[in-house]
Amino acid sequence: MSSVEDVVLAEAACVILSKQQAPRMYWVKQSLETRARYSGSELFKDLNQMTLTLFHVNQAAESGRRNFSKKVDKDVMYGTAGFREKAEALDYIIYRMGLLAVLRAKYKNAAIGLMITASHNPEPDNGVKLIDPHGEMLEVKWEKIASALANASDDKLEEVLDDIVKSESINMSREGCVFIGQDTRPSSPSLARAAVAGIKVLSGLPTDFGVVTTPMLHFFVTCRNTQGAYGEATEKGYFTKLSTAFNKLCASVKLSGNYKPHVFFDGANGVGAVKMKALAGYLSENLSVDIYNKGSGKLNYMCGADYVKVQQRAPSGVPAPPGERCVSVDGDADRLVYYYVDEGSVFHMLDGDRIATLIAGYLMELVHASGLAINLGLVQTAYANGSSTHYIANVLKVPVACAKTGVKFLHEKALEFDIGVYFEANGHGTVIASEKTTRLIKDTISKTEIPAEQRSAAEGLADVFGVINQTVGDALSDLLLVEVVLRTKGWSIQDWLGTYVDLPNRQLKVTVKDRRVIQTTDAERICENPEGLQKKIDELVAKYERGRAFVRPSGTEDIVRVYAEADSQENTDRLAALVAQAVYQMAGGVGEAPTLP
Ligand SMILES: CC(=O)N[C@H]1[C@@H](OP(=O)(O)O)O[C@H](CO)[C@@H](O)[C@@H]1O
Ligand SMILES: [Mg+2]
């Protein structure tokens, strides 16, 4: 037994003795005595584990009570985007997520990511989410564990931590490596310190990457856990991987048609602007980027991808001439939307559905040209515009699947295809390839007996997977891929918009007493509870040409969302308002009732 472990055991005994927890005191004493007798045996290892756990868990709870006491009584929930709250109510949650990240890292025996951000939400908010070993979102079972840990009272903290260690059989002597990232919010640095405190008290190993985009942190985690096979876990490694593939793809296509290698970039006054500036330095003359909303204004205020998508208008602060291709990213740069304003000052948006169709169409062409038997599919949510679904299925002839809102559900569904493209209408999405497909593409490139054209298409596919961040939707990486496709096709943004016509659509929010009364099925397209609500929605929808509507409880806000589309904006707005009224009446609406337009 090493002297370090001796000290740990001795300290554990002191801490627990001093708290006069009689049963535990007895237990630790016994374990120390037994150690002497069984030193070196399996039984000793178990006892040592238990004592280590007791010590750490006790220290974590003590330090939590002392420095990060629980401030709010209200229960919080680890939702589709982790925890999101007002920043001042978050330090204890983030401290506890630091603890949980270490437990998860020890459980998985791999590095785990901890990102501090509230994405597109207002500047005074903040949040935290954990990233699993392959860059995925935290496993659903652990979301519940995260909520239980965040909601435990200070005096129950030790018990809850102990339960997690025992129920998940966590080996506490493993390394607990946690990668931390933060967005540019003023509250982020102190919250990152809370995370580090939580990580250290459980003897975890924090690596703080400072200000990074959420997708960069996903990338770093994946690089680390693949021992560098996915790339190098540094900013330089990230920029180099993306830009090398992008520059190669650009070099293979001459500038033609209406494509101009230039975009106006709205950075939402956040991290996207900072990292785009760095990335632009790697792109040589293949793309020039004019960056606006670089951080002098308020984060996400009247700018950014969410503002542009929801308000359906151009952000302030971007002086783009009419007809010019513009993009907006959100506060942590995992969402991307394109837009332009025409000569008549009319705003045109090209959202996640458009990006998905553009990319899926391009990939389908490469797959056909490569002659490979690859099953390509596209995953959307119920929020996808009906016209986009029709275009993908009937014009591009790419199979479409529908998943529940929330990236992890889309990602999961996309895994069912050899190559899965997934995008939420709000601009969050990416492309993933199965291991088998990645291998097949690689093998094809190296087989000289395969015709050169097919090999070159396979090389194109390989380069697409160099540009795209497969770990998660990534605004910067998606931007590069969209630019490659437009360049290849020789398209202006107007040409791209011309592929199909969006149906008018409207999103509304309804506040109800308890949004959990709304229960849905069939990828959230059907409402099962409250009884009778779906029947009412069906009746309303039937009255409108090309009508479609659904309702679901938000995972990130305390509201119910209503979505509607129909043949005209006027009809759409009316249908949305009627459905909102039905929700208000049948699902316990509070505050002012929704009014008709
Ligand atoms: C309609 C909509 O845009 N919903 C968003 C929003 O979720 P809600 O559960 O709808 O609040 O935030 C999620 C996290 O960013 C994102 O995945 C999702 O698409
Ligand atoms: Mg985001």
Side-chain angles (χ1 to χ4, degrees):
M1 172 149 187
S2 73
S3 57
V4 175
E5 280 169 315
D6 264 335
V7 172
V8 168
L9 284 169
E11 280 188 27
C14 291
V15 168
I16 293 158
L17 289 171
S18 69
K19 293 199 67 222
Q20 298 188 329
Q21 292 182 347
R24 291 198 159 166
M25 178 182 80
Y26 173 74
W27 192 57
V28 171
K29 187 164 157 286
Q30 264 209 329
S31 85
L32 289 167
E33 280 169 4
T34 320
R35 188 201 78 186
R37 264 183 284 141
Y38 294 97
S39 181
S41 73
E42 281 305 306
L43 176 63
F44 165 69
K45 276 191 206 147
D46 284 353
L47 284 168
N48 195 28
Q49 266 291 321
M50 284 193 262
T51 320
L52 265 178
T53 306
L54 261 182
F55 170 66
H56 279 128
V57 156
N58 186 279
Q59 289 282 287
E62 269 299 303
S63 166
R65 273 189 287 272
R66 218 173 28 244
N67 306 314
F68 304 101
S69 62
K70 188 168 182 252
K71 296 192 183 58
V72 278
D73 265 346
K74 178 188 91 161
D75 270 5
V76 291
M77 195 175 84
Y78 193 104
T80 33
F83 294 108
R84 296 245 172 113
E85 299 293 327
K86 289 272 164 272
E88 57 274 15
L90 264 168
D91 69 337
Y92 77 95
I93 296 180
I94 293 192
Y95 169 76
R96 292 173 183 204
M97 287 308 105
L99 303 176
L100 192 69
V102 175
L103 296 182
R104 183 79 178 154
K106 288 176 189 280
Y107 174 74
K108 285 282 186 184
N109 208 11
I112 293 293
L114 185 155
M115 182 71 199
I116 296 168
T117 181
S119 181
H120 58 276
N121 292 132
E123 191 168 280
D125 293 3
N126 216 324
V128 59
K129 55 187 166 190
L130 298 187
I131 301 167
D132 259 357
H134 295 290
E136 332 85 296
M137 303 286 168
L138 181 66
E139 182 191 330
V140 174
K141 181 180 172 200
W142 277 63
E143 287 186 357
K144 299 203 173 76
I145 295 177
S147 300
L149 181 58
N151 292 326
S153 60
D154 281 342
D155 55 346
K156 284 273 181 332
L157 194 50
E158 190 169 355
E159 206 176 291
V160 173
L161 286 167
D162 208 32
D163 277 354
I164 300 172
V165 175
K166 291 208 181 97
S167 64
E168 302 302 310
S169 310
I170 296 169
N171 180 346
M172 291 299 282
S173 46
R174 278 185 180 161
E175 194 179 75
C177 177
V178 183
F179 282 10
I180 308 166
Q182 58 179 275
D183 69 14
T184 55
R185 287 177 159 78
S187 58
S188 291
S190 81
L191 292 173
R193 285 193 289 277
V196 170
I199 294 163
K200 285 193 168 161
V201 79
L202 283 186
S203 288
L205 297 172
T207 305
D208 192 348
F209 285 89
V211 173
V212 287
T213 70
T214 297
M216 285 169 82
L217 193 65
H218 283 254
F219 178 90
F220 299 153
V221 169
T222 310
C223 292
R224 161 68 181 245
N225 291 326
T226 55
Q227 284 75 45
Y230 193 69
E232 190 192 300
T234 61
E235 285 211 14
K236 186 161 173 266
Y238 169 82
F239 291 134
T240 305
K241 181 172 180 185
L242 266 54
S243 61
T244 305
F246 172 77
N247 288 329
K248 190 168 162 225
L249 281 163
C250 288
S252 67
V253 188
K254 275 216 191 85
L255 275 183
S256 69
N258 298 327
Y259 179 76
K260 281 188 284 173
H262 177 270
V263 285
F264 289 83
F265 185 96
D266 158 27
N269 285 315
V271 58
V274 183
K275 301 304 170 190
M276 185 68 241
K277 185 162 178 243
L279 175 60
Y282 288 76
L283 307 178
S284 58
E285 73 288 357
N286 290 320
L287 183 66
S288 74
V289 187
D290 277 351
I291 306 173
Y292 296 93
N293 296 329
K294 294 185 207 177
S296 51
K298 257 196 222 146
L299 180 70
N300 296 324
Y301 180 67
M302 293 182 70
C303 60
D306 194 64
Y307 174 85
V308 171
K309 168 71 183 158
V310 176
Q311 303 300 325
Q312 309 203 11
R313 66 168 68 140
S316 63
V318 183
E324 291 294 330
R325 195 162 71 255
C326 304
V327 297
S328 280
V329 303
D330 71 335
D332 62 340
D334 58 2
R335 290 192 196 175
L336 172 76
V337 294
Y338 275 76
Y339 71 89
Y340 73 95
V341 179
D342 68 20
E343 302 283 349
S345 301
V346 179
F347 168 82
H348 300 271
M349 181 170 47
L350 294 96
D351 61 6
D353 299 341
R354 293 275 176 183
I355 297 174
T357 53
L358 185 79
I359 293 176
Y362 173 70
L363 286 173
M364 200 58 162
E365 285 166 18
L366 283 177
V367 167
H368 282 153
S370 72
L372 296 172
I374 289 175
N375 145 30
L376 171 84
L378 194 146
V379 185
Q380 302 184 308
T381 69
Y383 289 101
N385 196 280
S387 287
S388 75
T389 314
H390 182 267
Y391 174 73
I392 297 157
N394 301 306
V395 179
L396 299 178
K397 310 256 187 245
V398 173
V400 201
C402 187
K404 273 170 38 171
T405 304
V407 183
K408 64 171 168 277
F409 300 112
L410 285 109
H411 190 97
E412 217 172 86
K413 196 85 194 159
L415 289 171
E416 292 174 13
F417 299 100
D418 296 335
I419 294 181
V421 181
Y422 68 84
F423 268 87
E424 293 193 303
N426 59 31
H428 188 144
T430 186
V431 187
I432 55 176
S434 68
E435 261 176 49
K436 191 187 91 199
T437 309
T438 311
R439 231 177 303 118
L440 177 67
I441 294 170
K442 218 168 142 203
D443 290 350
T444 308
I445 298 169
S446 60
K447 277 190 189 146
T448 44
E449 67 273 23
I450 293 180
E453 269 165 34
Q454 290 184 16
R455 270 189 289 135
S456 134
E459 208 167 334
L461 283 170
D463 290 333
V464 165
F465 287 106
V467 171
I468 204 78
N469 183 348
Q470 290 194 58
T471 65
V472 78
D474 180 336
L476 301 185
S477 141
D478 292 343
L479 163 68
L480 296 186
L481 185 53
V482 168
E483 292 300 317
V484 164
V485 184
L486 294 178
R487 182 187 182 105
T488 307
K489 293 189 173 292
W491 277 0
S492 64
I493 193 163
Q494 292 76 14
D495 295 330
W496 177 16
L497 188 72
T499 48
Y500 64 84
V501 180
D502 269 324
L503 280 172
N505 57 88
R506 178 67 61 208
Q507 271 194 53
L508 295 176
K509 301 178 186 184
V510 183
T511 309
V512 296
K513 232 180 289 154
D514 180 1
R515 71 191 199 274
R516 287 172 298 186
V517 300
I518 302 269
Q519 283 159 16
T520 64
T521 183
D522 189 22
E524 306 176 319
R525 289 173 290 192
I526 303 283
C527 178
E528 289 186 315
N529 202 59
E531 224 189 305
L533 180 55
Q534 186 57 48
K535 191 163 166 266
K536 180 75 191 163
I537 295 172
D538 290 342
E539 282 166 18
L540 293 169
V541 165
K543 292 186 187 141
Y544 293 89
E545 198 66 34
R546 303 195 71 182
R548 185 169 74 92
F550 65 92
V551 301
R552 55 174 281 279
S554 159
T556 59
E557 290 176 63
D558 195 8
I559 46 121
V560 175
R561 291 198 199 281
V562 171
Y563 177 89
E565 59 187 36
D567 58 342
S568 70
Q569 193 63 55
E570 203 188 340
N571 283 343
T572 304
D573 290 348
R574 197 166 169 82
L575 174 58
L578 286 166
V579 173
Q581 285 185 334
V583 170
Y584 185 89
Q585 280 155 18
M586 299 171 79
V590 293
E592 251 175 66
T595 51
L596 292 182

